């Protein structure tokens, strides 16, 4: 398995203020789906912050990990008895993902871009 990136998923009630804050740190907007915005470093595109607005689904991850083989990671997690809290699926914006709860209660979005 290859990890392509790991990013914090930051919940915000004020998307515009959060976007402007991370721009001050040098991030640029890489994707905007309305309810989620990806801010990425222009010099290191895998250095990212995901901003998650209040319009998002009720269950939201605390971090995202992009992998090369999401189905294989899912199979390994299921075999290990991990707590899958959002079933493996293809999303309309072009990713395949699932959410798993780690032993400390952190929800991790395991994702692959299609």
């Amino acid at each position: 398995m290859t990890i392509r990136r790991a990013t914090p998923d930051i919940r915000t009630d004020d998307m515009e203020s959060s976007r402007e804050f991370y721009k001050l740190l040098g991030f640029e907007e890489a994707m905007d789906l309305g309810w989620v915005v990806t801010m990425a470093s222009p010099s290191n595109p895998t250095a990212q912050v995901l901003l998650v607005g209040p319009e998002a689904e009720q269950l939201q991850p605390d971090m995202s990990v992009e992998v090369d083989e999401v189905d294989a990671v899912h199979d390994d997690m299921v075999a290990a008895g991990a707590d899958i809290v959002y079933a493996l699926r293809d999303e309309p914006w072009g990713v395949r993902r699932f959410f798993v709860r780690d032993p400390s209660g952190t929800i991790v979005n395991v994702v692959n871009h299609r």
Side-chain angles (χ1 to χ4, degrees):
M1 174 188 63
T2 299
I3 297 173
R4 295 183 175 162
R5 66 186 168 110
T7 63
D9 292 13
I10 299 171
R11 291 173 190 84
T12 179
D13 289 327
D14 186 344
M15 186 66 77
E16 192 56 36
S17 292
S18 293
R19 184 186 339 241
E20 291 305 313
F21 174 84
Y22 285 97
K23 283 182 181 178
L24 291 171
L25 288 173
F27 288 91
E28 295 178 352
E29 186 178 301
M31 178 192 74
D32 183 352
L33 295 178
W35 60 272
V36 65
V37 172
T38 301
M39 302 296 291
S41 164
S43 61
N44 178 5
T46 61
Q48 299 181 354
V49 174
L50 289 152
L51 304 174
V52 182
E55 305 85 13
E57 299 173 13
Q58 190 170 9
L59 179 64
Q60 281 302 308
D62 301 297
M63 70 177 294
S64 294
V65 177
E66 182 181 357
V67 297
D68 61 343
E69 295 183 30
V70 70
D71 289 86
V73 175
H74 179 266
D75 292 347
D76 289 347
M77 289 286 183
V78 169
D83 184 13
I84 306 297
V85 296
Y86 185 81
L88 180 65
R89 68 187 73 189
D90 293 317
E91 301 288 9
W93 55 90
V95 300
R96 184 163 176 80
R97 69 180 183 160
F98 68 97
F99 296 173
V100 59
R101 190 179 319 271
D102 83 359
S104 70
T106 299
I107 297 177
V108 180
N109 172 32
V110 182
V111 62
N112 177 265
H113 285 80
R114 295 285 175 184

